Amino acid sequence: LITRLHTAREAGWIWRLILDATATLLLLVCITGLVLWQSLPKRRMIGSAAIILSVGAVVLAYCLCVS
């Protein structure tokens, strides 16, 4: 059931629109957060380290789970 809801395989166009709008909003919030984080001089180093560690964790999780 959760997989079918997530992929919107059997859902109507309204559900697909809600999913697309939610994904777009989350992406926009993430991008603006990163831009704000990098624009603050005192927080730039912490933000850069957090981004690098996060990307590394995602790549590691991908390699462990997919490979």
Side-chain angles (χ1 to χ4, degrees), residues 8-44:
R9 188 176 305 157
E10 299 171 8
W13 66 273
I14 293 176
W15 184 251
R16 289 184 185 146
L17 182 66
I18 291 171
L19 288 175
D20 289 342
T22 303
T24 303
L25 182 63
L26 285 172
L27 188 62
L28 182 65
V29 167
C30 290
I31 291 171
T32 56
L34 290 173
V35 168
L36 287 172
W37 211 349
Q38 291 298 315
S39 67
L40 298 172
K42 293 181 181 180
R43 306 279 185 191
R44 188 173 298 145

